[in-house]
Amino acid sequence: HFYDDGLTTFLAGEPPQEPPEELRTDQFPQTIVESWEELRDYKYDTNVATATATATVNKNGDEAKTEEASSAKKPKKTKSPPPAAADAAADTTEEGDAAAVIDISKLDIRVGQITKAWEHPEADKLFCEEIDLGEEGGPRQIASGLKAYYSVDDLVGRKVLVLANLKARKLVGFPSHGMVLCAASNDDDDDVNGNKKVQFIDPPEGAKVGERVMVEGYDNGEPATENQVIKKKMLEAIFPDLRTNGDGVATYKGVPLTTSAGPCR
């Protein structure tokens, strides 16, 4: 159907026709309408119209409320990583901090006192010791390969230096948690049979059990963790610079290992 809106009549010189009456509405007839005239004269049921309009408003309102509720939803909470992932992240950070500087400050060397000692029943070279480090958990058990150099009587009551931040491990079945520090002779100073001379590094008189041994110029905060010492191979990096000087004083790169009572030798 082509709807010209009176254009054809105007071009033919005829007076323009009145536009047809607008019969479109938002309402629907409730009966069948068969002619234009019948539609023009149709009487709509106002109750039905009102109900339809109300239903439309309610529907739109519901949609609006739904959209509003959706937009008002709270943002999702950020989930924390699982404990294993958190622990792994902590280990990574910890290792990164330790890698910055590896020196004597990473070792936790403490003054300890041997309270009990006995020969390992299954190992020819080992002593088993209980060493007081002033810890709340009581003395530590530590195994030392010193039977060739000392007797049990030499050990009990003696103050020693203990490397405390080492992981516990079993030595011939004995759980050992730490290491006592000793000095060994150079090849030129071995005895006539070629055996090395091994001696404890002794803290000075007056050193307190449990106090940390320090080295001036290497005060870099807290020592490394037991895991860091192993993973970063810190002993391999630090031990070559631990030596005794001409006076028998234990040093790190020439600087004495000291306690509150003086140097260790």
Side-chain angles (χ1 to χ4, degrees):
H1 173 71
F2 179 75
Y3 178 65
D4 58 17
D5 198 20
L7 180 61
T8 305
T9 303
F10 175 76
L11 292 177
E14 299 176 2
Q17 299 177 359
E18 292 293 328
E21 182 180 355
E22 179 62 66
L23 299 179
R24 289 177 294 183
T25 176
D26 292 336
Q27 301 173 358
F28 294 96
Q30 303 303 309
T31 60
I32 298 176
V33 178
E34 297 182 349
S35 67
W36 182 268
E37 290 79 9
E38 188 176 347
L39 178 62
R40 181 185 59 194
D41 298 332
Y42 189 86
K43 302 297 182 183
Y44 291 94
D45 188 342
T46 57
N47 291 330
V48 173
T50 302
T52 303
T54 303
T56 303
V57 170
N58 286 344
K59 180 181 179 183
N60 292 339
D62 290 344
E63 289 178 352
K65 288 179 182 178
T66 301
E67 291 178 1
E68 182 178 349
S70 176
S71 63
K73 285 182 179 179
K74 294 182 179 179
K76 293 182 178 180
K77 293 182 179 180
T78 304
K79 293 183 178 179
S80 300
D87 291 344
D91 286 343
T92 302
T93 303
E94 198 176 67
E95 290 177 12
D97 293 342
V101 178
I102 296 180
D103 58 33
I104 191 67
S105 68
K106 296 303 178 184
L107 301 186
D108 189 13
I109 302 173
R110 301 279 172 173
V111 175
Q113 187 167 25
I114 302 174
T115 58
K116 186 178 179 180
W118 64 98
E119 295 182 359
H120 194 298
E122 299 177 9
D124 294 336
K125 297 181 179 181
L126 293 180
F127 282 125
C128 301
E129 304 129 11
E130 288 187 1
I131 303 180
D132 181 14
L133 296 179
E135 296 174 316
E136 292 183 0
R140 290 199 188 192
Q141 289 189 329
I142 296 177
S144 305
L146 298 172
K147 284 177 70 174
Y149 312 102
Y150 292 96
S151 67
V152 170
D153 292 338
D154 294 327
L155 303 184
V156 177
R158 188 182 194 120
K159 284 186 178 179
V160 292
L161 300 188
V162 175
L163 179 53
N165 56 337
L166 294 179
K167 273 193 167 184
R169 62 191 184 112
K170 288 189 176 181
L171 296 179
V172 196
F174 180 77
S176 179
H177 191 192
M179 176 191 298
V180 294
L181 296 188
C182 296
S185 61
N186 294 323
D187 293 340
D188 295 339
D189 296 326
D190 292 347
D191 64 21
V192 293
N193 296 319
N195 298 318
K196 289 192 176 297
K197 299 175 183 178
V198 175
Q199 294 180 333
F200 284 111
I201 299 295
D202 295 322
E205 290 292 333
K208 298 176 182 179
V209 169
E211 73 169 291
R212 188 178 175 193
V213 177
M214 306 299 291
V215 177
E216 186 177 358
Y218 295 93
D219 185 10
N220 296 320
E222 292 298 312
T225 65
E226 295 176 353
N227 281 334
Q228 290 171 348
V229 171
I230 299 300
K231 290 182 179 179
K232 296 298 179 180
K233 298 182 178 179
M234 293 186 178
L235 301 187
E236 291 88 334
I238 297 169
F239 273 12
D241 292 313
L242 285 172
R243 297 178 178 275
T244 55
N245 62 18
D247 296 325
V249 174
T251 68
Y252 173 73
K253 294 186 176 181
V255 184
L257 277 64
T258 61
T259 68
S260 60
C264 306
R265 61 181 71 226

